[in-house]
Amino acid sequence: MSPPRLARRTFLKTAAAVVTPWIVPASVFGATAPNDRITVGCIGTGNQGFNILKQFLKHAEAQVVAVCDVNRGSFGYRDDKQYCGREPAQKLVHEHYGAGRASGRYRGCDAFGDFRDMLARRDIDAVTIVTPDHWHAVMTVLAARAGKDIYCEKPLSLTVRDGQEMVRAVREHRRILQTGSHERSNPVTRHACALVRNGRIGQVKRVTTFVGYHNKVGPGPGWQPMPVPNGFDYETWLGPAPWAPYHQDRCLYRFRFIYDYSGGQVTNFGAHSNDMAQWALGMDGTGPVEVECLDAKFLPEGSLFNAATETRFRCRYANGIELVCETEKSSVGARFEGTEGMVQVGYGGFFTKPESLKTSTIGPDEIRLGTSDDHVGDFLHSVRTRRDPVAPVEVGHRSATVCHLGNIAIWLWKRGVKKVLRWDPQRQEFLNDADANALLGRTRRGPWQG
Ligand SMILES: NC(=O)c1ccc[n+]([C@@H]2O[C@H](COP(=O)([O-])OP(=O)(O)OC[C@H]3O[C@@H](n4cnc5c(N)ncnc54)[C@H](O)[C@@H]3O)[C@@H](O)[C@H]2O)c1
């Protein structure tokens, strides 16, 4: 039997307060270690869910005790070799902890189809949410209410209103939330952003952020629905999204090309790239004050994938700095151009002008942008210490908001509304623009409303 939650939490906090370094070795807990580690349930064990699960398994201070997916197990994810879903995830956990079985330290890993059953388990401290974006807000709010700490993938939200709701729930229930913006735990990105933040390129004049092209092809107009495969709970996969007929290219991995479930590559890659910009510019608690679509391309009307295939939008911050977010082959990255130099960082590499900036160090009196080199480790540290991680809920929300603003400008532009939208980052509303404000949130289906 696990100890009562309050007592266990109090113990974790006390342990964190008196033991340094911050990782409390599992050995201090003795033979019953599994119940005194941070117990984790993983929701969404698909393409990225498997990566995150493996990262949690590497940390001895955590114990994965449950997995959850609406897919029992199948191929059909990002690449042909991936076999994902709850049963393969459970198998991975069994194999990983298998050696501890004889000593009695391993108590098994449950596999759930309904995340609410997992949330109802009182012995789970933290959950990962690695489902499509249309589920992030509902799951985060219910997890926060259930007293779980949360590692939620980027983009944190599907809409601005979702993000605000997530911030409120996490703070109201005093939960830890780490956004999966792992570039905040990448030392190269941190150094690049710190150079910009500390004025090493002079006054920043212009920022360019990148988002990638579609990497999958979906069916064109006239596509036909398909039968739902055995072992896949399609109704629950759709959840809060509008009902739509099943097609295999709607769901696993490919949801990111359909606006009902995602913001397209603008939020998929933009959640990283615009996050870098917000970080480097010191804009974490706020955002731009205007946004304008410059260009967008779409597949023919009636295609299953309706998210823009190429985009270009411009934002301006209150201090005059311009940010242009555009489709580019390096997919994730940001370029900062200043009066005295340039810094570019992302999946395409790290470049500076002058080149000497690259190896220059950030001095003790300069602004430092954290120390995390391990995003999951940073989350577990926060669970113990109750201090915010490197990408807390507000950071995830504000970085996703930059992407959502871009998408709203793009959607209006597609309808023929070609104008600069003015945004109030304090009130989180467009100024005098009912059409744009109507796009800040969405109605959820069935029981998932409110
Ligand atoms: N940090 C990163 O660099 C990074 C990389 C890839 C994906 N992601 C993010 O991770 C999330 C998932 O993306 P993916 O590529 O892994 O998608 P995916 O489709 O491969 O996996 C999502 C999984 O969630 C499951 N799922 C859907 N609804 C569910 C529900 N109600 N309950 C339980 N499981 C449910 C699906 O069946 C699927 O197995 C997205 O938000 C994406 O943006 C982040």
Side-chain angles (χ1 to χ4, degrees):
M1 289 291 289
S2 51
R5 288 207 54 78
L6 191 61
R8 207 160 87 83
R9 280 235 175 263
T10 311
F11 170 69
L12 285 175
K13 268 208 238 175
T14 314
V18 297
V19 181
T20 50
W22 62 267
I23 295 176
V24 184
S27 55
V28 309
F29 298 120
T32 55
N35 269 343
D36 294 315
R37 292 179 187 164
I38 297 166
T39 49
V40 180
C42 295
I43 309 175
T45 52
N47 163 53
Q48 176 71 352
F50 253 74
N51 292 333
I52 297 298
L53 168 59
K54 284 177 191 165
Q55 288 181 39
F56 273 90
L57 290 177
K58 277 192 213 150
H59 284 271
E61 76 270 37
Q63 173 102 19
V64 177
V65 296
V67 294
C68 169
D69 202 295
V70 294
N71 188 16
R72 197 170 59 210
S74 75
F75 291 101
Y77 284 86
R78 191 195 59 212
D79 73 48
D80 294 343
K81 293 197 187 100
Q82 288 174 304
Y83 186 74
C84 304
R86 64 179 179 272
E87 286 186 357
Q90 184 188 38
K91 184 165 174 272
L92 181 76
V93 177
H94 282 332
E95 284 167 3
H96 181 85
Y97 294 128
R101 220 183 271 254
S103 65
R105 290 177 58 161
Y106 179 55
R107 310 248 172 109
C109 170
D110 281 338
F112 293 102
D114 187 327
F115 72 97
R116 291 168 296 186
D117 294 335
M118 179 193 272
L119 294 184
R121 256 183 68 168
R122 295 186 63 223
D123 64 327
I124 292 181
D125 295 316
V127 294
T128 65
I129 299 176
V130 195
T131 54
D133 315 352
H134 66 286
W135 265 115
H136 291 184
V138 169
M139 288 179 173
T140 293
V141 170
L142 294 180
R145 278 187 202 151
K148 314 299 181 200
D149 293 321
I150 302 154
Y151 183 105
C152 182
E153 263 307 339
K154 53 47 62 179
L156 189 69
S157 57
L158 182 68
T159 68
V160 174
R161 294 292 179 243
D162 274 6
Q164 290 177 285
E165 197 185 339
M166 295 164 90
V167 171
R168 278 195 299 274
V170 166
R171 293 305 170 196
E172 186 190 328
H173 296 283
R174 296 169 188 233
R175 297 296 92 213
I176 294 296
L177 184 144
Q178 173 85 298
T179 311
S181 299
H182 52 65
E183 288 301 316
R184 295 229 175 192
S185 296
N186 177 340
V188 177
T189 302
R190 176 169 58 243
H191 182 57
C193 292
L195 290 173
V196 175
R197 181 81 82 85
N198 284 295
R200 302 292 187 83
I201 60 167
Q203 208 184 335
V204 179
K205 287 291 170 199
R206 188 184 160 86
V207 183
T208 311
T209 56
F210 310 129
V211 300
Y213 291 92
H214 284 196
N215 57 344
K216 296 287 173 198
V217 178
W223 60 268
Q224 292 297 311
M226 301 168 89
V228 178
N230 279 335
F232 185 65
D233 178 358
Y234 178 55
E235 279 298 325
T236 309
W237 186 93
L238 282 172
W243 193 86
Y246 177 81
H247 189 288
Q248 65 182 22
D249 289 334
R250 184 183 294 285
C251 299
L252 306 179
Y253 186 80
R254 289 144 181 85
F255 69 86
R256 48 179 48 66
F257 309 114
I258 303 175
Y259 281 140
D260 277 346
Y261 325 113
S262 157
Q265 299 296 45
V266 166
T267 55
N268 184 34
F269 290 115
H272 287 308
S273 305
N274 293 316
D275 183 63
M276 293 174 183
Q278 289 268 112
W279 203 21
L281 299 177
M283 293 294 176
D284 275 345
T286 180
V289 294
E290 64 181 44
V291 59
E292 176 186 18
C293 173
L294 302 175
D295 196 17
K297 290 193 175 60
F298 291 86
L299 293 167
E301 208 58 43
S303 300
L304 180 59
F305 293 176
N306 62 1
T309 52
E310 286 180 50
T311 51
R312 197 156 181 267
F313 68 88
R314 180 190 67 80
C315 293
R316 191 176 62 76
Y317 288 87
N319 60 8
I321 294 176
E322 288 230 325
L323 178 153
V324 171
C325 177
E326 62 188 25
T327 308
E328 217 258 10
K329 68 174 182 322
S330 66
S331 75
V332 163
R335 180 170 59 239
F336 303 89
E337 292 164 84
T339 48
E340 291 161 39
M342 185 279 294
V343 165
Q344 180 169 334
V345 71
Y347 294 0
F350 176 34
F351 313 95
T352 62
K353 273 188 203 154
E355 222 180 306
S356 56
L357 269 185
K358 231 177 162 173
T359 48
S360 72
T361 50
I362 302 297
D365 298 331
E366 290 187 285
I367 299 167
R368 303 203 151 233
L369 299 181
T371 52
S372 167
D373 292 350
D374 171 349
H375 214 52
V376 166
D378 181 62
F379 169 66
L380 294 170
H381 180 208
S382 292
V383 170
R384 288 203 186 279
T385 61
R386 310 314 293 169
R387 285 192 215 110
D388 267 341
V390 71
V393 64
E394 291 84 0
V395 162
H397 165 53
R398 291 292 187 164
S399 295
T401 295
V402 178
C403 311
H404 297 321
L405 297 182
N407 268 338
I408 291 171
I410 289 165
W411 298 332
L412 291 173
W413 179 92
K414 195 179 176 219
R415 287 190 211 160
V417 183
K418 306 198 173 180
K419 66 174 183 186
V420 177
L421 307 176
R422 295 183 49 230
W423 175 249
D424 179 339
Q426 253 88 53
R427 292 176 53 219
Q428 304 194 54
E429 272 180 16
F430 290 100
L431 300 179
N432 305 320
D433 199 324
D435 289 341
N437 281 328
L439 298 169
L440 290 171
R442 298 188 194 178
T443 306
R444 292 188 194 132
R445 198 168 61 109
W448 307 111
Q449 193 63 254

